[in-house]
Amino acid sequence: MNLDKGMDIETHEQIWRPTSGPLRFEKRENFADDLCAVSALCRFSLNLLNLKCYLHKLKKKCAAGFAVAT
């Protein structure tokens, strides 16, 4: 259920509202799988960023005189 109403962005005056009662919406499509894919991509990106930070810190240690086998 939605009690939406349109407001003028300059005067903040109500321009329109539902005339036949509340607006009712029916779900037509499910995007849950898309959200899961985006979430997985975000986790992957975060892990990649963490790895990049770790490698940067390791490089700084090497430059400071610590030997690291390659």
Side-chain angles (χ1 to χ4, degrees):
M1 184 181 334
N2 184 356
L3 300 176
D4 196 15
K5 57 185 173 183
M7 307 296 280
D8 185 297
I9 60 172
E10 293 178 8
T11 65
H12 304 288
E13 182 181 352
Q14 183 175 332
I15 298 173
W16 62 269
R17 66 173 187 205
T19 55
S20 60
L23 300 173
R24 298 183 191 277
F25 296 95
E26 181 180 317
K27 186 193 294 188
R28 296 176 56 173
E29 206 169 333
N30 186 344
F31 294 98
D33 292 338
D34 295 337
L35 293 176
C36 289
V38 168
S39 178
L41 183 59
C42 289
R43 282 192 305 273
F44 174 77
S45 297
L46 184 59
N47 288 337
L48 197 57
L49 182 62
N50 287 338
L51 177 60
K52 186 176 178 181
C53 289
Y54 172 76
L55 292 174
H56 181 70
K57 288 177 185 177
L58 188 59
K59 184 177 177 182
K60 277 186 168 181
K61 283 184 180 181
C62 290
F66 294 97
V68 174
T70 55

